[in-house]
Amino acid sequence: MSLSLLELQQLLGVLKYLDVGLLVMDRHFIVTFWNDFMANHSGKAARDVEGQELFALFPELPQDWLRQRVETVMALNTVTFTTWEQRPHLFAFSSYRSLTGRSSAMYQNLTFMPIAGADGSVDKIALVVYDVTEAANSRLALEDMNQRLSVLSRTDPLTGLLNRRSWEAMLAEEYARCRRSGRTSTLMMFDIDHFKQVNDTHGHQAGDMVLQHTATLLSNKLRTTDKAGRYGGEEFALLLTDTDAVQACQLADRLCTALAARPARLDGKPITITISAGIAQLTADMGDAQAWVKAADDALYQAKSAGRNTTKVAS
């Protein structure tokens, strides 16, 4: 679409005072029109801008991108658009909502319109700048909220580890991956020993603190590929990818050492924590992920039966 000179004059008369930005420039980026919106937000009056080269006035503009865009619009003689999601802004105008928004700069949508001369050839470009800061901030806030809700739906609120449902979903994926690839991974299930006594002696808030302390020390020992979850109550579940039982036992030892060296503290007094752990490396005879969990759980039961504060490997 192209505009005649008369149509352009009518359009400029209307848009000069509207709450959108409008500038007109030729193919050499010499500005020929600069409306009040652009003047107010840039601090540059029309009389100081018109007749000047745009990049000389605003050297911070992305020249390569803008030149390519303008050349395309002129060559194709068609209107094109860009949104703030593609490029947050062209002109770094300050936002009136900088305190409550995500950015101190105005988010902008842009429309590039070819303008035809008397001979019908395109020799100018009208660039319309829309302030979409409020809509962009709303969209970003909604995305943040959805992201937080997604994390909350997958996370145990007390420990910050995966909740049981999310952990089991990852377990099923890892089981399938190992079956496809022939690689092996290992599960570790562990309980905090005599956790009921902690609650009975010190109260449930102390019990919660012990769970959080254990989860923190555990998280510090894991690789990014390992998945730790709170399986229920004082029981934790670890999915250790590309790890064998020997390596899992080494991790259990490091965790026990860390718990001994850094006991949880209540009112400055230490609360000694020990754990019992069961370890099961994935083997060919485990028909599904639940069989894998059962093997680790059985090993955990053996650790408890052996007097706790120990680790047993499924045989």
Side-chain angles (χ1 to χ4, degrees):
M1 182 185 75
S2 60
L3 299 176
S4 68
L5 182 59
L6 176 59
E7 290 170 331
L8 174 61
Q9 289 173 337
Q10 292 172 337
L11 181 63
L12 297 184
V14 171
L15 292 181
K16 181 175 176 61
Y17 304 107
L18 291 184
D19 195 23
V20 295
L22 175 64
L23 69 99
V24 178
M25 56 191 172
D26 64 18
R27 62 175 62 252
H28 302 295
F29 295 89
I30 302 300
V31 179
T32 59
F33 181 82
W34 190 255
N35 79 343
D36 288 356
F37 177 99
M38 299 298 290
N40 293 336
H41 287 280
S42 70
K44 299 180 187 296
R47 63 178 178 276
D48 299 324
V49 173
E50 291 172 358
Q52 303 296 315
E53 199 228 17
L54 185 65
F55 297 126
L57 296 164
F58 299 92
E60 71 278 9
L61 291 179
Q63 292 196 29
D64 292 343
W65 180 84
L66 188 55
R67 287 183 186 280
Q68 182 178 27
R69 178 70 62 169
V70 168
E71 290 171 1
T72 300
V73 171
M74 285 188 159
L76 299 179
N77 190 15
T78 185
V79 177
T80 65
F81 309 90
T82 63
T83 68
W84 66 272
E85 289 133 314
Q86 298 168 294
R87 177 177 288 278
H89 62 263
L90 177 60
F91 294 94
F93 296 158
S94 297
S95 168
Y96 292 135
R97 305 166 188 83
S98 58
L99 295 179
T100 57
R102 296 282 300 269
S103 170
S104 59
M106 174 196 297
Y107 289 100
Q108 297 163 358
N109 286 351
L110 306 172
T111 299
F112 295 82
M113 304 171 64
I115 300 173
D119 61 355
S121 62
V122 176
D123 59 0
K124 289 186 173 60
I125 287 283
L127 174 56
V128 184
V129 180
Y130 302 90
D131 178 2
V132 293
T133 303
E134 187 167 345
N137 282 331
S138 297
R139 169 79 69 81
L140 293 171
L142 180 60
E143 291 176 355
D144 282 349
M145 182 178 296
N146 287 337
Q147 179 66 23
R148 287 197 295 270
L149 288 174
S150 175
V151 171
L152 288 174
S153 70
R154 294 182 284 109
T155 304
D156 173 58
L158 180 63
T159 63
L161 303 178
L162 295 171
N163 60 30
R164 178 170 175 172
R165 183 176 64 178
S166 296
W167 184 85
E168 288 184 330
M170 292 186 177
L171 172 69
E173 292 176 0
E174 181 62 13
Y175 178 88
R177 186 188 75 91
C178 289
R179 285 291 183 247
R180 287 194 305 271
S181 64
R183 305 173 74 92
T184 190
S185 293
T186 296
L187 296 188
M188 180 195 304
M189 312 288 287
F190 73 84
D191 266 357
I192 297 175
D193 294 330
H194 306 298
F195 182 71
K196 184 174 183 302
Q197 291 182 10
V198 176
N199 283 329
D200 292 344
T201 303
H202 303 288
H204 289 283
Q205 287 187 337
D208 288 348
M209 182 268 292
V210 165
L211 291 171
Q212 291 170 330
H213 181 73
T214 303
T216 299
L217 291 183
L218 171 64
S219 298
N220 292 338
K221 302 297 179 188
L222 299 179
R223 303 165 301 179
T224 56
T225 54
D226 298 331
K227 306 301 179 186
R230 185 182 177 194
Y231 202 67
E234 69 274 25
E235 187 173 5
F236 294 80
L238 306 184
L239 173 58
L240 307 171
T241 57
D242 296 325
T243 301
D244 60 24
V246 174
Q247 294 168 314
C249 287
Q250 293 170 348
L251 171 62
D253 288 343
R254 290 198 297 273
L255 179 58
C256 290
T257 300
L259 288 168
R262 297 179 55 191
R265 291 187 175 277
L266 180 64
D267 297 329
K269 297 179 180 178
I271 300 177
T272 300
I273 303 171
T274 63
I275 62 171
S276 300
I279 289 173
Q281 180 176 325
L282 182 62
T283 57
D285 61 334
M286 295 174 182
D288 55 31
Q290 288 308 308
W292 195 7
V293 172
K294 184 177 185 306
D297 244 351
D298 289 347
L300 171 58
Y301 181 78
Q302 293 170 19
K304 290 181 178 179
S305 299
R308 294 184 169 83
N309 192 21
T310 189
T311 299
K312 293 293 183 181
V313 178
S315 55

